[in-house]
Amino acid sequence: RRMRAGRYEVVSTIGQGSAARTLLCSDLGEDRRVVVKELHFAHLADWKYLELFEREARTLARLEHPSIPRVFDYFQGEGGPAISYIVQEYIEAPSLLQRMESGPMLGQQEIHEIAVGLLDVLAYLHGRAPPVIHRDIKPSNVLLRADGTPALIDFGGVRAAWQSREAAGATVVGTFGYMAPEQFAGQAGPTSDLYALGATLLHLVTGRPPSDFVTDAGRIELPDDLPTDRPLADLIEALLRPAPRDRPGKAQAQGVLVTQP
């Protein structure tokens, strides 16, 4: 077992990329499990990733919501290659993607509760000043607790909505199929996250990734007979409209979903 900062004992590796790793660790100072994200400067192909990493740490440190993991610490390693660390709350729950791959299809009531829970998280993020945009909402970035409530994780692509396109460097962040059309041009706003929520809900109700429904024109074309109730089908259709101005805001989206199955 390896140590980080003399306090965090590595239990296992959750994920790994070319320059970053996500570790499950024991916090020996507080007797708890935590998630430690580490970024190795020497392996960075683009210094933009360092900016995104630091932005994630700064943004999460200012957030306080039961469905967003808290940040406990942010520091740089001592000696050797430069490494930055973010220490976050560990939420012990499978992702929506893991849940879909390992179990039966989610029921209508479960999907409604997930939709309402994520709309609540987005209302909190988008209600900040400036609004906070996640930019990569998808089933693998949503955890499903035992009580059915969702938690939104992986804020590696987070940005402020009021930041200019020039200041953001027009960085393209997101996942094909879940990304709103405007994100391919490096632009994102609150309705971009709502689009990704719509794509996530489409995946939940059909069991198929939204990329399966993308046409040659690059737009998602919904099947006429979505296997869900009318309120949820109407919400998915509204959230996946190509133009940001045509998508509902959070309050409007909640209104569409007011009828429970």
Side-chain angles (χ1 to χ4, degrees), residues 6 53 55 57 71 103 117-118 122 140 153 160 169 190 199 201 220 228 250:
F53 194 81
R55 187 189 301 165
V71 163
L118 290 175
L122 293 181
S140 61
I153 62 170
L201 295 175
I220 289 179
T228 188
K250 179 266 171 187

Side-chain angles (χ1 to χ4, degrees), residues 112-200:
H112 268 257
E113 291 173 358
I114 291 168
V116 170
L118 290 175
L119 283 169
D120 180 69
V121 176
L122 293 181
Y124 171 76
L125 292 175
H126 300 162
R128 307 287 292 176
V132 174
I133 313 302
H134 186 279
R135 294 203 292 179
D136 198 18
I137 296 171
K138 56 186 178 182
S140 61
N141 285 341
V142 178
L143 302 183
L144 187 61
R145 294 187 175 98
D147 63 1
T149 59
L152 185 60
I153 62 170
D154 196 351
F155 281 71
V158 71
R159 61 165 285 187
W162 296 350
Q163 190 174 16
S164 69
R165 180 178 176 183
E166 291 75 15
T171 305
V172 176
V173 173
T175 301
F176 179 73
Y178 302 93
M179 288 173 63
E182 63 271 15
Q183 286 183 250
F184 288 96
Q187 300 174 315
T191 57
S192 306
D193 280 349
L194 289 170
Y195 181 99
L197 172 59
T200 296

Side-chain angles (χ1 to χ4, degrees), residues 195-207:
Y195 181 99
L197 172 59
T200 296
L201 295 175
L202 176 62
H203 195 165
L204 293 183
V205 301
T206 63

Side-chain angles (χ1 to χ4, degrees), residues 19 39 44-55 156 171:
L39 182 71
L44 286 177
D46 188 336
W47 284 97
K48 193 70 179 178
Y49 292 109
L50 175 58
E51 178 186 338
L52 291 172
F53 194 81
E54 293 175 339
R55 187 189 301 165
T171 305

